[in-house]
Amino acid sequence: MALFPEHLTGTTLVLLVLAAFAAGWVDAVVGGGGLLQLPALLLVPGLSPLQALATNKLGSIFGTTTSAVTYYRRARPDLRTALPMAALALAGSFGGASIAASLPVAVFKPVIVVALVTVAAITLTRPTLGSVTALRFSGHAHYRAALAVGLVIGVYDGVLGPGTGTFLVIAMVSVVGYDFLQASAKAKIVNLATNLGALLFFAPHGAVLWGLGLLLGLANTSGSYLGSRMAISSGTGFIRTVFLVVVAALVVKVGHDVWVENLSPLLG
């Protein structure tokens, strides 16, 4: 069982811990912390992409647990919706992780860019979106919509990962109809399940670097605790602002990936 990468230096380790703390804060507020933590892990010499993805899940699960507990204590999300979503998301994430090594994920990224730009435009042009809870469905239709969100985003988290929390918030606000605070609270519970689902697949395959992952988990937990308390005390307006910043960062990151992987070779 590997604990740390063979060529990990002290400077790189400090940078990884700082990235994990920042990732925990971002994840707790609106999701998307994988944009910081996973790329930082990919910079470690000798660390394979699968090891980076698996170790990222171990570090993240500590942060999502912390923020899920904090949100539950202070925002009291409806568990009748959140827990079934989490169960289906866990199964979806496990299934997504099982095909992560063989699926050409580059084909999904152009679709993700278009979706993110659309969501950002809608959020900017509709200032009241997510300011109050206005559920789109009632009764069984509400649970079917929530379960569909949990399954689809669970699969995405297993296959790719970065931005999962953000996509959960997007879907909970725009599809289901929660305000940003309640959407973030439920998203943390579901995101905890998606991290666990992927980790349950990666761990038996020996892809997790346990020492590094646990160290990142401590930093992630600290950032998550601070971020969740700030989000709860500041309310939906603060979360909406951070949400737009994270979506913009996602557009830049995934857009760059699309350029490098899909467009640049054609033009070159």
Side-chain angles (χ1 to χ4, degrees):
M1 182 177 67
L3 296 178
F4 290 92
E6 184 178 352
H7 303 293
L8 182 65
T9 65
T11 301
T12 303
L13 183 60
V14 170
L15 292 175
L16 285 173
V17 169
L18 291 174
F21 177 85
W25 189 92
V26 172
D27 253 340
V29 177
V30 76
L35 285 171
L36 300 172
Q37 190 165 278
L38 183 57
L41 281 165
L42 289 170
L43 295 175
V44 178
L47 197 66
S48 72
L50 192 63
Q51 286 177 315
L53 184 60
T55 305
N56 176 63
K57 293 300 179 188
L58 177 59
S60 297
I61 202 169
F62 286 89
T64 50
T65 300
T66 301
S67 56
V69 171
T70 305
Y71 270 100
Y72 177 72
R73 287 177 175 175
R74 293 173 173 265
R76 295 294 179 183
D78 179 16
L79 295 183
R80 292 173 300 176
T81 298
L83 291 182
M85 281 184 69
L88 210 55
L90 188 150
S93 181
F94 185 91
S98 68
I99 58 175
S102 59
L103 192 68
V105 297
V107 300
F108 292 101
K109 291 182 178 180
V111 178
I112 293 170
V113 172
V114 173
L116 285 169
V117 171
T118 302
V119 166
I122 292 172
T123 306
L124 281 170
T125 56
R126 296 178 59 189
T128 60
L129 181 67
S131 59
V132 295
T133 293
L135 297 179
R136 308 281 189 268
F137 311 98
S138 61
H140 293 300
H142 167 79
Y143 293 108
R144 284 195 295 269
L147 289 173
V149 168
L151 178 61
V152 171
I153 296 183
V155 172
Y156 167 79
D157 193 29
V159 175
L160 291 174
T164 295
T166 307
F167 284 120
L168 278 167
V169 174
I170 288 171
M172 296 299 283
V173 170
S174 59
V175 176
V176 185
Y178 287 106
D179 63 49
F180 273 106
L181 181 58
Q182 283 297 318
S184 293
K186 292 175 179 63
K188 300 305 166 288
I189 297 172
V190 179
N191 204 179
L192 169 60
T194 64
N195 284 333
L196 178 59
L199 193 59
L200 287 173
F201 174 82
F202 288 130
H205 289 76
V208 182
L209 298 175
W210 292 95
L212 179 58
L214 291 172
L215 188 60
L216 296 182
L218 291 175
N220 205 278
T221 296
S222 301
S224 292
Y225 181 74
L226 178 62
S228 56
R229 288 181 67 90
M230 288 179 65
I232 292 165
S233 61
S234 301
T236 58
F238 172 74
I239 297 174
R240 182 179 184 272
T241 301
V242 177
F243 171 82
L244 287 170
V245 172
V246 172
V247 167
L250 272 167
V251 169
V252 172
K253 171 63 173 64
V254 183
H256 176 265
D257 290 347
V258 170
W259 173 263
V260 171
E261 296 169 6
N262 298 78
L263 300 178
S264 184
L266 295 176
L267 297 176

